[in-house]
Amino acid sequence: MVEILALLADGFGIALQPLNLILIVLGCSVGLFIGAMPGLGSVNGVAILLPLTFVVPPASAIIFLAALYYGAMYGGAISSIMLGIPGASTAVATTFDGRPLALQGLADKALITAATASFVGGTISVILFTLAAPPLAHVALVFGPPETLALMLLAFATFVGLGGDDIWKTIFSICIGLVLAAVGTDIVSGEPRLQLFGLTGFFSNINFLVLAIGIYGIGEMLWTIEQTAKAGGASMLSRATVSVRRVLAHLRDQLTLWKATLMGSLLGYFVGILPAAGATPGSMMAYGVAKQLSANPDSFGKGNPEGVSAPEAANNAASTGSMLPMLTLGIPGSPTTAILLGGMVIWGLEPGPQLFVDEKAFVWGLIASLYAANLFALLLNLTFIPAFIAVLRLPFTILAPVIFVLCLVGGYAPTNRMFDVWLILVFGFVGYLLRKLDYPLAPAVLAIVLGPMTEPALRQSLLMSGGDLAIFFTRPYSGPIMVVAIALLALPLIRRLVRRFRTG
Amino acid sequence: MSVRFAEIVMACVMAAFSVYLMWKSAELNIGWIEDEGPGGGAWPFWLSAVMLLSCAGIAWNWWRRSTPLARSTEPFIGSAALRIVLQVVVLLTVVVALFDVIGTYCALFLFMLVYLAVIGSHRLPVALAWAVTTPVVTFLFFEILIKVILPKGVTEPLFYPIFRFFGMGGI
């Protein structure tokens, strides 16, 4: 415990350096902005802006992106409440009660509830994170290839078991991501592999950012353009009256919401830790549970502040929670952390438990920055609510081309290859079509990040055992993880059988 | 084209792609090599096989009409939405093709101008202001701040004086 506090103090020494402090404030602001824009969420922001962070040292880069991740969780609520359109998928549940509050002239109350609940959720989970990370990393230090493979399988299995999307499409998405990660050279023999269509560009690996920017940048923008064309470009911005007296009164009211906020924080944290789950299901679940626990569940959906505080606490808590497996085990807890993980590899850091031994400054600087980011996001949010509302008035036809430019140029920057820019366009267009047909694409991005770790883990394990698959089930850590993973993979089948049995 | 029709077309295209990937993977050893473990092609080969299986599963659901998409008779994309999406895709393709010819910055200028003036129907001064600002900010950030050299095509010599101004004469 004392040791953790000492490490955390060192971390604050790093997080509070002038450069990092500026990056935290900048990251929070950009995140708030991106989160507030309909159609863009933390994952889009992190994917599009990651190439821009090569200018600063890795610790500062991840501090910036983590602050952006955090800010986006706050920002998503702004457009959910003011426009009735979720700023990000993580803020969908916030619209259910946030929008009715705004229509009743209580937009400021909804915004303040969202901001304070986000702060509480973020703070509780970052404290839990600080306590849980070192022991978990300690356990993970004994992990060998079979354990790594079991963890990877667990990450993919949660998508299949808990994802809620079409199972065949989820499996397809995972496999295509893993195959794309295998393009380039065979890691063991060094032979060229999968030179698709004979193009020389495929002689080297496909950078995960190419897929991430394609899907979350180009694809997402095409999707949003289509949606706005359908809606006729109508904007339904609510009016918000803000005064100091009203703000103070609303802040006092927050105390009555403690139950929903606390529940949302804890639920969000634990859902966030699960690979593949992340902040969106976390906030949805928190909304559902808050409704069940509430004294008057009937008022939900009609402007109950509890319906704002629970999901907002949960999405911030989940965003912190999802960094726990990323840092300690090297597997991401959400699509956004998958991209952060890929970034760490680019920065020359080996994600996983060894980080806690070799890169103490990096890890603890990041953890300390989460405390700071939380505070700054709250302050920025409360101070600049009117400014963010003004930003929401910026026409989408100006914002969209600016984001396209960032995608194209940002996609060129990591590798300096025009081939990658073309690939981004192809992935973006195909991703857009697949998304229209409800193919989940987050698993593909997760898979292309995890692919380069999954394949060697599998091959080394099989080499250790001479081709015997039993090695995954007989070791003390990998065995139970494999069992859980297989149970998750079988979950949809079991569910279907139960349903068939019930209906007779 | 209805959503239902698009669903099966996509499943068939992806199935064909899966078969192509299996065939491509099989260029390397997909079996077991003594003392080396699985061959280099085994991992992508079996993953592609699972992709093919998933496409078969999607087609099976389509045949039985057991998912909402497989039952939907709505159009896959409305004509107004199709027009604007196609405009954007064509514009993006042309702009990327121009990167190597007239250089990134001129291409970005044209992109912003066309996007704002034609697709966004903004007034010309607004479109021009964004079209000039975007490449300038991009240049300052990428080339000057983070030293990423973007393709310049035939406009390359025009940049020599600018680099000299920033003390980067050598490039």
Side-chain angles (χ1 to χ4, degrees):
Chain A
M1 189 67 207
V2 178
E3 194 193 356
I4 291 178
L5 284 177
L7 288 164
L8 189 61
D10 290 344
F12 271 108
I14 294 160
L16 299 180
Q17 283 166 7
L19 171 69
N20 293 341
L21 210 54
I22 292 169
L23 286 173
I24 290 173
V25 176
L26 198 65
C28 285
S29 317
V30 174
L32 276 164
F33 171 72
I34 287 176
M37 293 312 306
L40 292 181
S42 60
V43 62
N44 313 90
V46 171
I48 297 169
L49 294 183
L50 181 62
L52 310 190
T53 60
F54 299 138
V55 65
V56 291
S60 305
I62 199 164
I63 283 174
F64 170 75
L65 292 174
L68 189 155
Y69 189 11
Y70 236 83
M73 293 295 152
Y74 280 80
I78 299 174
S79 51
S80 293
I81 292 164
M82 300 306 295
L83 294 173
I85 307 167
S89 63
T90 49
V92 169
T94 313
T95 43
F96 301 158
D97 278 275
R99 184 61 181 162
L101 277 171
L103 293 175
Q104 291 160 25
L106 290 169
D108 54 341
K109 177 168 189 165
L111 288 169
I112 288 167
T113 306
T116 42
S118 296
F119 176 71
V120 175
T123 308
I124 289 178
S125 70
V126 82
I127 292 170
L128 292 174
F129 180 103
T130 313
L131 297 175
L136 193 59
H138 190 69
V139 170
L141 274 175
V142 300
F143 281 16
E147 284 76 20
T148 309
L149 185 89
L151 277 174
M152 301 292 165
L153 190 70
L154 181 69
F156 296 127
T158 36
F159 268 110
V160 177
L162 305 175
D165 297 294
D166 187 325
I167 288 143
W168 290 117
K169 290 178 177 172
T170 310
I171 295 175
F172 180 85
S173 183
I174 293 169
C175 291
I176 198 168
L178 288 171
V179 173
L180 289 176
V183 168
T185 33
D186 172 24
I187 34 160
V188 174
S189 65
E191 291 172 279
R193 177 164 71 176
L194 291 173
Q195 258 74 65
L196 303 180
F197 312 110
L199 293 171
T200 48
F202 288 119
F203 276 105
S204 49
N205 301 338
I206 300 175
N207 191 308
F208 80 97
L209 265 178
V210 169
L211 186 68
I213 295 179
I215 287 176
Y216 289 116
I218 306 280
E220 189 84 21
M221 291 314 288
L222 289 176
W223 167 264
T224 316
I225 286 169
E226 190 203 323
Q227 298 301 313
T228 23
K230 248 192 233 167
S235 170
M236 303 165 295
L237 197 66
S238 299
R239 294 191 66 80
T241 40
V242 185
S243 72
V244 177
R245 188 185 294 169
R246 281 178 67 119
V247 169
L248 290 176
H250 293 321
L251 280 176
R252 251 197 320 276
D253 288 348
Q254 298 306 311
L255 295 174
T256 59
L257 303 172
W258 69 272
K259 212 167 73 179
T261 311
L262 185 67
M263 183 280 302
S265 309
L266 294 174
L267 189 72
Y269 175 72
F270 288 107
V271 173
I273 292 176
L274 293 176
T280 306
S283 60
M284 288 291 198
M285 282 164 72
Y287 184 84
V289 176
K291 189 174 174 178
Q292 277 165 13
L293 292 180
S294 173
N296 43 349
D298 290 340
S299 65
F300 271 69
K302 295 170 192 151
N304 188 331
E306 286 177 38
V308 175
S309 69
E312 278 302 310
N315 67 23
N316 271 66
S319 65
T320 309
S322 65
M323 286 195 219
L324 182 69
M326 173 188 85
L327 281 179
T328 53
L329 307 175
I331 56 165
S334 67
T336 314
T337 41
I339 295 171
L340 285 178
L341 190 81
M344 283 160 65
V345 176
I346 295 186
W347 298 320
L349 299 162
E350 178 79 33
Q354 203 62 35
L355 268 184
F356 279 79
V357 182
D358 299 339
E359 303 283 348
K360 282 200 176 80
F362 174 83
V363 171
W364 290 97
L366 171 64
I367 294 175
S369 82
L370 292 178
Y371 285 91
N374 222 334
L375 187 66
F376 280 112
L378 176 72
L379 294 177
L380 283 170
N381 201 347
L382 290 179
T383 326
F384 292 113
I385 282 174
F388 291 118
I389 291 169
V391 166
L392 288 181
R393 292 205 178 91
L394 193 70
F396 187 67
T397 44
I398 291 182
L399 199 81
V402 171
I403 292 168
F404 280 128
V405 168
L406 269 177
C407 292
L408 298 180
V409 182
Y412 180 84
T415 50
N416 292 322
R417 295 199 312 165
M418 271 315 284
F419 183 75
D420 284 348
V421 181
W422 284 112
L423 265 188
I424 286 176
L425 277 190
V426 172
F427 286 146
F429 187 61
V430 176
Y432 158 73
L433 293 178
L434 288 172
R435 175 159 179 200
K436 276 182 71 66
L437 290 169
D438 285 351
Y439 284 75
L441 297 173
V445 174
L446 188 78
I448 198 172
V449 172
L450 295 185
M453 300 167 225
T454 313
E455 191 191 353
L458 175 70
R459 289 170 76 169
Q460 284 163 8
S461 308
L462 288 177
L463 202 55
M464 280 161 72
S465 70
D468 188 359
L469 290 173
I471 186 171
F472 297 114
F473 298 93
T474 48
R475 291 165 60 110
Y477 286 112
S478 73
I481 301 173
M482 285 300 272
V483 171
V484 175
I486 289 170
L488 277 168
L489 282 173
L491 195 63
L493 194 69
I494 296 167
R495 242 188 255 144
R496 185 176 294 182
L497 286 177
V498 168
R499 212 179 300 146
R500 196 168 289 177
F501 181 72
R502 271 199 197 144
T503 52
Chain B
M1 186 163 68
S2 68
V3 171
R4 176 171 159 79
F5 186 63
E7 173 88 341
I8 194 67
V9 170
M10 183 60 91
C12 290
V13 172
M14 288 299 155
F17 186 53
S18 311
V19 172
Y20 173 73
L21 287 172
M22 285 169 76
W23 173 71
K24 222 38 195 163
S25 307
E27 288 177 357
L28 276 74
N29 193 327
I30 54 167
W32 182 269
I33 307 171
E34 207 50 50
D35 298 326
E36 273 186 42
W43 169 250
F45 179 83
W46 290 108
L47 286 169
S48 313
V50 178
M51 277 166 65
L52 187 62
L53 182 75
S54 314
C55 291
I58 295 166
W60 174 244
N61 281 340
W62 177 85
W63 176 254
R64 292 179 37 210
R65 297 176 189 260
S66 54
T67 61
L69 283 178
R71 286 190 294 270
S72 170
T73 51
E74 281 177 34
F76 180 61
I77 183 166
S79 57
L82 178 69
R83 226 187 84 221
I84 185 162
V85 169
L86 271 184
Q87 277 177 338
V88 174
V89 170
V90 170
L91 181 60
L92 281 170
T93 313
V94 171
V95 165
V96 174
L98 286 176
F99 270 24
D100 273 329
V101 184
I102 59 168
T104 311
Y105 300 104
C106 291
L108 290 184
F109 170 80
L110 285 179
F111 174 72
M112 292 301 288
L113 191 67
V114 173
Y115 199 110
L116 266 77
V118 179
I119 299 177
S121 356
H122 290 279
R123 286 181 302 117
L124 200 60
V126 178
L128 267 176
W130 282 94
V132 172
T133 318
T134 312
V136 170
V137 173
T138 309
F139 176 81
L140 291 177
F141 186 85
F142 281 92
E143 309 244 353
I144 304 302
L145 191 65
I146 69 173
K147 310 272 188 288
V148 170
I149 305 300
L150 296 168
K152 295 189 189 62
V154 294
T155 59
E156 180 93 39
L158 299 177
F159 286 85
Y160 297 155
I162 307 176
F163 284 129
R164 266 199 297 278
F165 175 78
F166 285 102
M168 298 160 64
I171 304 171

PDB file of all heavy atoms in Angstrom, chain B residues 64-87:
ATOM      1  N   ARG B  64     -33.156 -18.657 -44.306  1.00  0.00           N
ATOM      2  CA  ARG B  64     -34.267 -18.918 -43.387  1.00  0.00           C
ATOM      3  C   ARG B  64     -34.965 -17.633 -42.958  1.00  0.00           C
ATOM      4  O   ARG B  64     -35.895 -17.670 -42.166  1.00  0.00           O
ATOM      5  CB  ARG B  64     -33.735 -19.661 -42.157  1.00  0.00           C
ATOM      6  CG  ARG B  64     -33.264 -21.065 -42.503  1.00  0.00           C
ATOM      7  CD  ARG B  64     -32.718 -21.766 -41.283  1.00  0.00           C
ATOM      8  NE  ARG B  64     -33.481 -21.419 -40.094  1.00  0.00           N
ATOM      9  CZ  ARG B  64     -32.978 -21.375 -38.865  1.00  0.00           C
ATOM     10  NH1 ARG B  64     -31.725 -21.650 -38.672  1.00  0.00           N
ATOM     11  NH2 ARG B  64     -33.731 -21.058 -37.843  1.00  0.00           N
ATOM     12  N   ARG B  65     -34.484 -16.497 -43.428  1.00  0.00           N
ATOM     13  CA  ARG B  65     -35.038 -15.187 -43.059  1.00  0.00           C
ATOM     14  C   ARG B  65     -35.094 -15.022 -41.537  1.00  0.00           C
ATOM     15  O   ARG B  65     -36.071 -14.509 -40.991  1.00  0.00           O
ATOM     16  CB  ARG B  65     -36.438 -14.986 -43.644  1.00  0.00           C
ATOM     17  CG  ARG B  65     -36.453 -14.990 -45.151  1.00  0.00           C
ATOM     18  CD  ARG B  65     -37.875 -14.894 -45.682  1.00  0.00           C
ATOM     19  NE  ARG B  65     -37.880 -15.108 -47.140  1.00  0.00           N
ATOM     20  CZ  ARG B  65     -37.933 -14.123 -48.036  1.00  0.00           C
ATOM     21  NH1 ARG B  65     -37.996 -12.877 -47.650  1.00  0.00           N
ATOM     22  NH2 ARG B  65     -37.916 -14.392 -49.321  1.00  0.00           N
ATOM     23  N   SER B  66     -34.042 -15.437 -40.842  1.00  0.00           N
ATOM     24  CA  SER B  66     -34.096 -15.448 -39.382  1.00  0.00           C
ATOM     25  C   SER B  66     -33.497 -14.191 -38.746  1.00  0.00           C
ATOM     26  O   SER B  66     -33.489 -14.063 -37.533  1.00  0.00           O
ATOM     27  CB  SER B  66     -33.409 -16.687 -38.834  1.00  0.00           C
ATOM     28  OG  SER B  66     -32.104 -16.767 -39.339  1.00  0.00           O
ATOM     29  N   THR B  67     -32.955 -13.250 -39.542  1.00  0.00           N
ATOM     30  CA  THR B  67     -32.482 -11.992 -38.951  1.00  0.00           C
ATOM     31  C   THR B  67     -33.294 -10.841 -39.564  1.00  0.00           C
ATOM     32  O   THR B  67     -33.810 -10.982 -40.669  1.00  0.00           O
ATOM     33  CB  THR B  67     -30.986 -11.755 -39.244  1.00  0.00           C
ATOM     34  OG1 THR B  67     -30.820 -11.684 -40.664  1.00  0.00           O
ATOM     35  CG2 THR B  67     -30.112 -12.847 -38.690  1.00  0.00           C
ATOM     36  N   PRO B  68     -33.395  -9.721 -38.864  1.00  0.00           N
ATOM     37  CA  PRO B  68     -34.155  -8.583 -39.405  1.00  0.00           C
ATOM     38  C   PRO B  68     -33.641  -8.145 -40.774  1.00  0.00           C
ATOM     39  O   PRO B  68     -34.433  -7.827 -41.665  1.00  0.00           O
ATOM     40  CB  PRO B  68     -33.934  -7.475 -38.374  1.00  0.00           C
ATOM     41  CG  PRO B  68     -33.523  -8.167 -37.125  1.00  0.00           C
ATOM     42  CD  PRO B  68     -32.866  -9.440 -37.521  1.00  0.00           C
ATOM     43  N   LEU B  69     -32.294  -8.170 -40.962  1.00  0.00           N
ATOM     44  CA  LEU B  69     -31.738  -7.739 -42.249  1.00  0.00           C
ATOM     45  C   LEU B  69     -32.171  -8.678 -43.378  1.00  0.00           C
ATOM     46  O   LEU B  69     -32.404  -8.240 -44.503  1.00  0.00           O
ATOM     47  CB  LEU B  69     -30.213  -7.705 -42.178  1.00  0.00           C
ATOM     48  CG  LEU B  69     -29.575  -6.533 -41.453  1.00  0.00           C
ATOM     49  CD1 LEU B  69     -28.069  -6.700 -41.455  1.00  0.00           C
ATOM     50  CD2 LEU B  69     -29.946  -5.229 -42.116  1.00  0.00           C
ATOM     51  N   ALA B  70     -32.253  -9.965 -43.060  1.00  0.00           N
ATOM     52  CA  ALA B  70     -32.599 -10.944 -44.088  1.00  0.00           C
ATOM     53  C   ALA B  70     -34.066 -10.839 -44.481  1.00  0.00           C
ATOM     54  O   ALA B  70     -34.477 -11.380 -45.492  1.00  0.00           O
ATOM     55  CB  ALA B  70     -32.283 -12.351 -43.596  1.00  0.00           C
ATOM     56  N   ARG B  71     -34.866 -10.161 -43.669  1.00  0.00           N
ATOM     57  CA  ARG B  71     -36.286  -9.995 -44.001  1.00  0.00           C
ATOM     58  C   ARG B  71     -36.576  -8.636 -44.621  1.00  0.00           C
ATOM     59  O   ARG B  71     -37.598  -8.437 -45.251  1.00  0.00           O
ATOM     60  CB  ARG B  71     -37.132 -10.140 -42.720  1.00  0.00           C
ATOM     61  CG  ARG B  71     -37.247 -11.568 -42.218  1.00  0.00           C
ATOM     62  CD  ARG B  71     -38.278 -11.662 -41.105  1.00  0.00           C
ATOM     63  NE  ARG B  71     -37.876 -10.929 -39.912  1.00  0.00           N
ATOM     64  CZ  ARG B  71     -37.182 -11.450 -38.915  1.00  0.00           C
ATOM     65  NH1 ARG B  71     -36.809 -12.715 -38.976  1.00  0.00           N
ATOM     66  NH2 ARG B  71     -36.841 -10.745 -37.861  1.00  0.00           N
ATOM     67  N   SER B  72     -35.638  -7.675 -44.419  1.00  0.00           N
ATOM     68  CA  SER B  72     -35.930  -6.293 -44.776  1.00  0.00           C
ATOM     69  C   SER B  72     -36.080  -6.094 -46.282  1.00  0.00           C
ATOM     70  O   SER B  72     -35.234  -6.520 -47.067  1.00  0.00           O
ATOM     71  CB  SER B  72     -34.807  -5.390 -44.250  1.00  0.00           C
ATOM     72  OG  SER B  72     -34.951  -4.112 -44.778  1.00  0.00           O
ATOM     73  N   THR B  73     -37.170  -5.442 -46.678  1.00  0.00           N
ATOM     74  CA  THR B  73     -37.365  -5.135 -48.100  1.00  0.00           C
ATOM     75  C   THR B  73     -37.068  -3.666 -48.382  1.00  0.00           C
ATOM     76  O   THR B  73     -37.268  -3.190 -49.495  1.00  0.00           O
ATOM     77  CB  THR B  73     -38.817  -5.435 -48.515  1.00  0.00           C
ATOM     78  OG1 THR B  73     -39.676  -4.796 -47.582  1.00  0.00           O
ATOM     79  CG2 THR B  73     -39.097  -6.926 -48.532  1.00  0.00           C
ATOM     80  N   GLU B  74     -36.610  -2.945 -47.343  1.00  0.00           N
ATOM     81  CA  GLU B  74     -36.287  -1.525 -47.538  1.00  0.00           C
ATOM     82  C   GLU B  74     -35.116  -1.380 -48.500  1.00  0.00           C
ATOM     83  O   GLU B  74     -34.301  -2.282 -48.622  1.00  0.00           O
ATOM     84  CB  GLU B  74     -35.900  -0.895 -46.191  1.00  0.00           C
ATOM     85  CG  GLU B  74     -37.095  -0.570 -45.335  1.00  0.00           C
ATOM     86  CD  GLU B  74     -36.668  -0.015 -44.004  1.00  0.00           C
ATOM     87  OE1 GLU B  74     -35.640   0.683 -43.953  1.00  0.00           O
ATOM     88  OE2 GLU B  74     -37.351  -0.313 -43.020  1.00  0.00           O
ATOM     89  N   PRO B  75     -35.023  -0.220 -49.180  1.00  0.00           N
ATOM     90  CA  PRO B  75     -33.863  -0.036 -50.065  1.00  0.00           C
ATOM     91  C   PRO B  75     -32.578   0.037 -49.241  1.00  0.00           C
ATOM     92  O   PRO B  75     -32.573   0.557 -48.116  1.00  0.00           O
ATOM     93  CB  PRO B  75     -34.152   1.292 -50.762  1.00  0.00           C
ATOM     94  CG  PRO B  75     -35.172   1.979 -49.923  1.00  0.00           C
ATOM     95  CD  PRO B  75     -35.954   0.913 -49.234  1.00  0.00           C
ATOM     96  N   PHE B  76     -31.495  -0.518 -49.803  1.00  0.00           N
ATOM     97  CA  PHE B  76     -30.210  -0.550 -49.086  1.00  0.00           C
ATOM     98  C   PHE B  76     -29.727   0.871 -48.801  1.00  0.00           C
ATOM     99  O   PHE B  76     -29.188   1.161 -47.750  1.00  0.00           O
ATOM    100  CB  PHE B  76     -29.183  -1.306 -49.926  1.00  0.00           C
ATOM    101  CG  PHE B  76     -27.827  -1.406 -49.288  1.00  0.00           C
ATOM    102  CD1 PHE B  76     -27.664  -2.040 -48.072  1.00  0.00           C
ATOM    103  CD2 PHE B  76     -26.710  -0.867 -49.911  1.00  0.00           C
ATOM    104  CE1 PHE B  76     -26.419  -2.142 -47.481  1.00  0.00           C
ATOM    105  CE2 PHE B  76     -25.458  -0.964 -49.323  1.00  0.00           C
ATOM    106  CZ  PHE B  76     -25.326  -1.603 -48.111  1.00  0.00           C
ATOM    107  N   ILE B  77     -29.943   1.765 -49.758  1.00  0.00           N
ATOM    108  CA  ILE B  77     -29.572   3.172 -49.555  1.00  0.00           C
ATOM    109  C   ILE B  77     -30.522   4.048 -50.379  1.00  0.00           C
ATOM    110  O   ILE B  77     -30.855   3.696 -51.516  1.00  0.00           O
ATOM    111  CB  ILE B  77     -28.085   3.422 -49.917  1.00  0.00           C
ATOM    112  CG1 ILE B  77     -27.704   4.876 -49.621  1.00  0.00           C
ATOM    113  CG2 ILE B  77     -27.775   3.063 -51.352  1.00  0.00           C
ATOM    114  CD1 ILE B  77     -26.220   5.114 -49.624  1.00  0.00           C
ATOM    115  N   GLY B  78     -30.988   5.146 -49.772  1.00  0.00           N
ATOM    116  CA  GLY B  78     -31.904   6.050 -50.486  1.00  0.00           C
ATOM    117  C   GLY B  78     -31.168   6.801 -51.585  1.00  0.00           C
ATOM    118  O   GLY B  78     -29.945   6.932 -51.538  1.00  0.00           O
ATOM    119  N   SER B  79     -31.904   7.314 -52.571  1.00  0.00           N
ATOM    120  CA  SER B  79     -31.230   7.919 -53.716  1.00  0.00           C
ATOM    121  C   SER B  79     -30.508   9.212 -53.329  1.00  0.00           C
ATOM    122  O   SER B  79     -29.410   9.481 -53.811  1.00  0.00           O
ATOM    123  CB  SER B  79     -32.227   8.176 -54.848  1.00  0.00           C
ATOM    124  OG  SER B  79     -33.270   9.008 -54.369  1.00  0.00           O
ATOM    125  N   ALA B  80     -31.110  10.018 -52.414  1.00  0.00           N
ATOM    126  CA  ALA B  80     -30.457  11.266 -52.004  1.00  0.00           C
ATOM    127  C   ALA B  80     -29.160  10.961 -51.269  1.00  0.00           C
ATOM    128  O   ALA B  80     -28.101  11.557 -51.530  1.00  0.00           O
ATOM    129  CB  ALA B  80     -31.393  12.080 -51.120  1.00  0.00           C
ATOM    130  N   ALA B  81     -29.228   9.985 -50.346  1.00  0.00           N
ATOM    131  CA  ALA B  81     -28.044   9.614 -49.566  1.00  0.00           C
ATOM    132  C   ALA B  81     -26.981   9.020 -50.478  1.00  0.00           C
ATOM    133  O   ALA B  81     -25.791   9.313 -50.345  1.00  0.00           O
ATOM    134  CB  ALA B  81     -28.430   8.631 -48.470  1.00  0.00           C
ATOM    135  N   LEU B  82     -27.421   8.185 -51.441  1.00  0.00           N
ATOM    136  CA  LEU B  82     -26.467   7.552 -52.361  1.00  0.00           C
ATOM    137  C   LEU B  82     -25.701   8.614 -53.133  1.00  0.00           C
ATOM    138  O   LEU B  82     -24.485   8.524 -53.304  1.00  0.00           O
ATOM    139  CB  LEU B  82     -27.215   6.631 -53.336  1.00  0.00           C
ATOM    140  CG  LEU B  82     -26.340   5.949 -54.388  1.00  0.00           C
ATOM    141  CD1 LEU B  82     -25.449   4.916 -53.724  1.00  0.00           C
ATOM    142  CD2 LEU B  82     -27.178   5.286 -55.463  1.00  0.00           C
ATOM    143  N   ARG B  83     -26.412   9.654 -53.575  1.00  0.00           N
ATOM    144  CA  ARG B  83     -25.762  10.685 -54.376  1.00  0.00           C
ATOM    145  C   ARG B  83     -24.644  11.355 -53.586  1.00  0.00           C
ATOM    146  O   ARG B  83     -23.514  11.459 -54.053  1.00  0.00           O
ATOM    147  CB  ARG B  83     -26.799  11.721 -54.822  1.00  0.00           C
ATOM    148  CG  ARG B  83     -26.652  12.070 -56.307  1.00  0.00           C
ATOM    149  CD  ARG B  83     -27.553  13.211 -56.721  1.00  0.00           C
ATOM    150  NE  ARG B  83     -26.948  14.476 -56.430  1.00  0.00           N
ATOM    151  CZ  ARG B  83     -27.616  15.521 -55.940  1.00  0.00           C
ATOM    152  NH1 ARG B  83     -28.895  15.429 -55.680  1.00  0.00           N
ATOM    153  NH2 ARG B  83     -26.986  16.655 -55.696  1.00  0.00           N
ATOM    154  N   ILE B  84     -24.966  11.751 -52.349  1.00  0.00           N
ATOM    155  CA  ILE B  84     -23.956  12.493 -51.590  1.00  0.00           C
ATOM    156  C   ILE B  84     -22.802  11.581 -51.168  1.00  0.00           C
ATOM    157  O   ILE B  84     -21.630  11.965 -51.247  1.00  0.00           O
ATOM    158  CB  ILE B  84     -24.584  13.230 -50.387  1.00  0.00           C
ATOM    159  CG1 ILE B  84     -23.532  14.084 -49.706  1.00  0.00           C
ATOM    160  CG2 ILE B  84     -25.228  12.324 -49.398  1.00  0.00           C
ATOM    161  CD1 ILE B  84     -24.113  15.133 -48.817  1.00  0.00           C
ATOM    162  N   VAL B  85     -23.095  10.332 -50.812  1.00  0.00           N
ATOM    163  CA  VAL B  85     -22.018   9.416 -50.421  1.00  0.00           C
ATOM    164  C   VAL B  85     -21.104   9.167 -51.616  1.00  0.00           C
ATOM    165  O   VAL B  85     -19.869   9.194 -51.490  1.00  0.00           O
ATOM    166  CB  VAL B  85     -22.589   8.096 -49.859  1.00  0.00           C
ATOM    167  CG1 VAL B  85     -21.492   7.052 -49.702  1.00  0.00           C
ATOM    168  CG2 VAL B  85     -23.268   8.342 -48.515  1.00  0.00           C
ATOM    169  N   LEU B  86     -21.700   8.962 -52.791  1.00  0.00           N
ATOM    170  CA  LEU B  86     -20.890   8.729 -53.989  1.00  0.00           C
ATOM    171  C   LEU B  86     -20.029   9.946 -54.322  1.00  0.00           C
ATOM    172  O   LEU B  86     -18.858   9.823 -54.656  1.00  0.00           O
ATOM    173  CB  LEU B  86     -21.783   8.400 -55.185  1.00  0.00           C
ATOM    174  CG  LEU B  86     -22.104   6.918 -55.383  1.00  0.00           C
ATOM    175  CD1 LEU B  86     -22.904   6.714 -56.646  1.00  0.00           C
ATOM    176  CD2 LEU B  86     -20.828   6.085 -55.419  1.00  0.00           C
ATOM    177  N   GLN B  87     -20.654  11.150 -54.205  1.00  0.00           N
ATOM    178  CA  GLN B  87     -19.892  12.378 -54.458  1.00  0.00           C
ATOM    179  C   GLN B  87     -18.647  12.417 -53.574  1.00  0.00           C
ATOM    180  O   GLN B  87     -17.540  12.691 -54.046  1.00  0.00           O
ATOM    181  CB  GLN B  87     -20.754  13.602 -54.139  1.00  0.00           C
ATOM    182  CG  GLN B  87     -21.691  14.015 -55.252  1.00  0.00           C
ATOM    183  CD  GLN B  87     -22.562  15.186 -54.833  1.00  0.00           C
ATOM    184  OE1 GLN B  87     -22.763  15.428 -53.642  1.00  0.00           O
ATOM    185  NE2 GLN B  87     -23.096  15.913 -55.793  1.00  0.00           N
TER     186      GLN B  87
END
